[in-house]
């Protein structure tokens, strides 16, 4: 599988700030997923996107499926200390079961 | 009420040994996966089973052998462990035909 380009690699922000991260692929995906991984834990699914242009929210998190189907974005509004962790994008095409993951965005939030 | 569980959580062993990691899911999912997360946190698919049938077998040394006794279990056996096998191994599962995958807590393998 291919590795997706995810940016930024890391972010260090103050509590209350908004955060944006994105993921791009060289090929088209039919599903985009966003996961969060806390230290010592497995990734937890945050948001799933199923069609181009789709915008979906989960509390303070909002994610979008890019119109080209080759990118996706995740925004976190009014960050809090418990938002700390690594955020991964993952894409899947219709031709297989495997998820292709980005390298992750490490988020640090200071009180 | 654990959804995807793995044992052990930590595994420290010597080079050359053989070890197994077990995974169980109680979500009723049909598809299960093994991923390897390296020191740079990159998650890479290793294997996938759908209803006990192998459907994904990425470029993984044949020292790694998955086994699915039933659709709720997917175990990973590793022969002749090498230093480079040190990583965190995650099991995951997904419902039939669905892309959403649910991960276990991981097994941190350290080969000395």
């Amino acid at each position: 599988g291919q590795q997706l380009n995810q940016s930024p690699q890391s972010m260090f922000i103050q509590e209350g700030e908004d955060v944006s991260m994105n993921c791009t692929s060289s090929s088209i995906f039919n599903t985009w997923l966003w996961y969060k991984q806390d230290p010592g834990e497995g990734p937890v699914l945050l948001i799933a996107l199923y069609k181009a242009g789709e915008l979906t929210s989960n509390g303070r998190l909002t994610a979008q499926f890019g119109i080209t189907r080759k990118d996706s974005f995740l925004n976190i509004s009014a960050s809090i200390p418990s938002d700390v962790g690594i955020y991964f994008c993952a894409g899947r095409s219709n031709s297989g079961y495997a998820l292709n993951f980005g390298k992750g965005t490490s988020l640090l939030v200071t009180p | 009420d654990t959804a995807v569980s793995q044992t052990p959580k930590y595994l420290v062993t010597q080079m050359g040994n053989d070890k197994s990691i077990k995974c169980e899911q109680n979500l009723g999912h049909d598809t299960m996966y093994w991923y390897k997360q390296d020191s740079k946190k990159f998650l890479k698919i290793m294997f996938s089973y759908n209803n006990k049938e192998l459907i994904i077998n990425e470029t993984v040394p044949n020292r790694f052998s998955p086994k699915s006794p039933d659709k709720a279990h997917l175990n990973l056996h590793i022969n002749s462990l090498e230093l480079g096998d040190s990583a965190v191994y995650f099991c995951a599962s997904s419902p039939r035909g669905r892309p959403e995958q649910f991960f276990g807590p991981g097994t941190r393998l350290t080969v000395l």
Side-chain angles (χ1 to χ4, degrees), chain A residues 27-40:
Chain A
S27 56
I28 289 172
F29 288 130
N30 291 299
T31 304
W32 282 96
L33 306 172
W34 284 92
Y35 286 85
K36 181 192 178 197
Q37 185 177 20
D38 290 330

Side-chain angles (χ1 to χ4, degrees), chain B residues 38-107:
Chain B
D38 60 24
S39 58
K40 296 185 178 180
K41 304 298 183 185
F42 176 51
L43 278 160
K44 183 174 170 57
I45 183 74
M46 299 174 68
F47 301 103
S48 178
Y49 270 74
N50 187 51
N51 259 327
K52 302 193 298 176
E53 180 184 348
L54 181 66
I55 54 172
I56 296 175
N57 184 0
E58 290 293 311
T59 307
V60 175
N62 56 16
R63 298 181 295 104
F64 290 78
S65 53
K67 189 165 187 178
S68 181
D70 55 63
K71 76 172 192 176
H73 296 84
L74 181 60
N75 303 322
L76 184 65
H77 188 76
I78 316 170
N79 289 328
S80 303
L81 278 155
E82 301 178 357
L83 293 176
D85 297 332
S86 295
V88 181
Y89 293 84
F90 287 101
C91 176
S93 71
S94 63
R96 180 184 305 179
R98 300 294 306 170
E100 305 89 348
Q101 294 182 16
F102 298 87
F103 285 77
T107 295

Side-chain angles (χ1 to χ4, degrees), chain A residues 6 21 34-46 61 74 82-89 101-108, chain B residues 6 9 35-43 87-90 103-108:
Chain A
Q6 185 172 347
M21 59 191 79
W34 284 92
Y35 286 85
K36 181 192 178 197
Q37 185 177 20
D38 290 330
E41 303 292 331
V44 173
L45 182 63
L46 299 173
L61 277 62
L74 176 69
S82 63
D83 290 334
V84 166
I86 302 177
Y87 292 79
F88 290 98
C89 63
F101 279 86
K103 290 185 177 181
T105 295
S106 178
L107 178 64
L108 292 175
Chain B
Q6 295 178 228
K9 175 75 171 172
Y35 285 86
K36 179 181 181 181
Q37 186 173 48
D38 60 24
S39 58
K40 296 185 178 180
K41 304 298 183 185
F42 176 51
L43 278 160
V88 181
Y89 293 84
F90 287 101
F103 285 77
T107 295
R108 180 174 292 278

Side-chain angles (χ1 to χ4, degrees), chain A residues 6 18-19 26 31 67 100:
Chain A
Q6 185 172 347
D18 297 343
V19 172
S26 58
T31 304
I67 293 177
N100 300 278

